[in-house]
Coordinates of all heavy atoms in Angstrom, one line a residue:
A118 N -5.9 3.6 -11.3 CA -7.1 3.7 -10.5 C -8.3 3.7 -11.4 O -8.3 4.1 -12.6 CB -7.1 5.1 -9.7
A119 N -9.5 3.3 -10.9 CA -10.7 3.2 -11.7 C -11.9 3.6 -10.8 O -11.8 3.4 -9.5 CB -10.9 1.8 -12.2
I120 N -12.9 4.1 -11.4 CA -14.1 4.5 -10.7 C -15.3 4.1 -11.5 O -15.4 4.4 -12.7 CB -14.1 6.0 -10.3 CG1 -15.4 6.3 -9.5 CG2 -14.1 6.9 -11.6 CD1 -15.3 7.7 -8.8
T121 N -16.3 3.4 -10.9 CA -17.5 3.0 -11.7 C -18.5 4.1 -11.8 O -18.3 5.2 -11.2 CB -18.1 1.8 -11.0 OG1 -18.7 2.2 -9.7 CG2 -17.1 0.7 -10.7
S122 N -19.5 3.8 -12.5 CA -20.6 4.8 -12.7 C -21.3 5.0 -11.3 O -21.8 6.1 -11.0 CB -21.6 4.4 -13.7 OG -22.2 3.1 -13.3
G123 N -21.2 4.1 -10.4 CA -21.8 4.2 -9.1 C -20.9 4.8 -8.1 O -21.3 5.0 -6.9
G124 N -19.6 5.1 -8.5 CA -18.7 5.7 -7.6 C -17.7 4.8 -6.8 O -16.9 5.2 -6.0
S125 N -17.8 3.5 -7.1 CA -16.9 2.6 -6.4 C -15.5 2.7 -7.1 O -15.4 2.9 -8.3 CB -17.3 1.1 -6.6 OG -18.6 0.9 -6.0
T126 N -14.5 2.6 -6.2 CA -13.1 2.9 -6.7 C -12.2 1.7 -6.4 O -12.5 0.9 -5.5 CB -12.5 4.1 -6.1 OG1 -12.5 3.9 -4.6 CG2 -13.3 5.4 -6.4
N127 N -11.2 1.6 -7.2 CA -10.1 0.6 -6.9 C -8.8 1.2 -7.4 O -8.8 2.0 -8.3 CB -10.4 -0.8 -7.5 CG -10.3 -0.8 -9.0 OD1 -11.2 -0.4 -9.7 ND2 -9.2 -1.3 -9.5
Y128 N -7.7 0.8 -6.8 CA -6.4 1.3 -7.0 C -5.3 0.2 -7.1 O -5.4 -0.8 -6.5 CB -6.0 2.2 -5.8 CG -6.9 3.4 -5.6 CD1 -8.0 3.3 -4.8 CD2 -6.6 4.6 -6.3 CE1 -8.8 4.4 -4.6 CE2 -7.5 5.7 -6.1 CZ -8.6 5.6 -5.3 OH -9.4 6.7 -5.1
A129 N -4.3 0.6 -7.9 CA -3.1 -0.3 -7.9 C -2.5 -0.2 -6.5 O -2.5 0.8 -5.9 CB -2.2 0.2 -9.0
D130 N -1.9 -1.3 -6.1 CA -1.3 -1.3 -4.8 C -0.2 -0.3 -4.6 O 0.0 0.3 -3.6 CB -0.6 -2.7 -4.5 CG -1.7 -3.8 -4.3 OD1 -2.8 -3.5 -4.0 OD2 -1.3 -5.0 -4.4
S131 N 0.5 0.0 -5.7 CA 1.6 1.0 -5.7 C 1.2 2.4 -5.4 O 2.0 3.2 -5.1 CB 2.4 0.9 -7.0 OG 1.5 1.2 -8.1
V132 N -0.1 2.7 -5.6 CA -0.6 4.1 -5.4 C -1.6 4.2 -4.3 O -2.0 5.3 -3.9 CB -1.2 4.7 -6.7 CG1 -0.2 4.5 -7.8 CG2 -2.5 4.0 -7.0
K133 N -2.0 3.1 -3.7 CA -3.0 3.2 -2.6 C -2.5 4.1 -1.4 O -1.3 4.0 -1.0 CB -3.2 1.8 -2.0 CG -4.2 1.0 -2.9 CD -4.4 -0.4 -2.3 CE -5.3 -1.2 -3.1 NZ -5.5 -2.6 -2.6
G134 N -3.4 4.9 -1.0 CA -3.0 5.9 0.1 C -2.4 7.2 -0.4 O -2.2 8.1 0.4
R135 N -2.0 7.2 -1.7 CA -1.3 8.4 -2.2 C -2.2 9.1 -3.3 O -2.2 10.3 -3.4 CB 0.0 8.0 -2.8 CG 1.0 7.5 -1.8 CD 2.4 7.3 -2.4 NE 2.4 6.4 -3.6 CZ 2.9 6.8 -4.8 NH1 3.3 8.0 -5.0 NH2 2.9 5.9 -5.7
F136 N -2.9 8.3 -4.1 CA -3.7 8.8 -5.2 C -5.2 8.6 -4.9 O -5.6 7.6 -4.2 CB -3.4 8.0 -6.5 CG -2.0 8.2 -7.1 CD1 -1.0 8.9 -6.4 CD2 -1.7 7.7 -8.4 CE1 0.2 9.1 -7.0 CE2 -0.5 7.9 -8.9 CZ 0.5 8.6 -8.2
T137 N -6.0 9.5 -5.4 CA -7.4 9.5 -5.3 C -8.1 9.8 -6.6 O -7.8 10.8 -7.2 CB -7.9 10.5 -4.2 OG1 -7.2 10.2 -3.0 CG2 -9.4 10.4 -4.0
I138 N -8.9 8.9 -7.0 CA -9.7 9.1 -8.2 C -11.1 9.6 -7.8 O -11.7 9.1 -6.8 CB -9.8 7.8 -9.1 CG1 -10.5 8.2 -10.4 CG2 -10.6 6.7 -8.4 CD1 -10.4 7.0 -11.4
S139 N -11.6 10.6 -8.6 CA -13.0 11.1 -8.3 C -13.6 11.5 -9.6 O -12.9 11.6 -10.6 CB -12.9 12.2 -7.3 OG -12.2 13.3 -7.9
R140 N -14.9 11.7 -9.6 CA -15.6 12.2 -10.8 C -16.6 13.2 -10.5 O -17.2 13.2 -9.4 CB -16.2 11.0 -11.5 CG -17.4 10.3 -10.7 CD -17.8 9.0 -11.4 NE -18.3 9.2 -12.8 CZ -18.3 8.3 -13.7 NH1 -17.9 7.0 -13.4 NH2 -18.8 8.5 -14.9
D141 N -16.8 14.1 -11.4 CA -17.8 15.2 -11.3 C -18.7 15.0 -12.6 O -18.4 15.5 -13.7 CB -17.2 16.6 -11.3 CG -18.2 17.7 -11.0 OD1 -19.4 17.5 -11.3 OD2 -17.8 18.7 -10.6

């Protein structure tokens, strides 16, 4: 999973719907 400086995210197909990336 990845998250940009602007907060956009993307995930591997194998983890979509199960994993969540976030930043503080």
Side-chain angles (χ1 to χ4, degrees):
I120 185 166
T121 68
S122 58
S125 297
T126 59
N127 67 282
Y128 298 91
D130 288 343
S131 59
V132 307
K133 281 181 181 176
R135 300 189 298 123
F136 290 11
T137 302
I138 189 171
S139 61
R140 64 191 300 158
D141 185 337

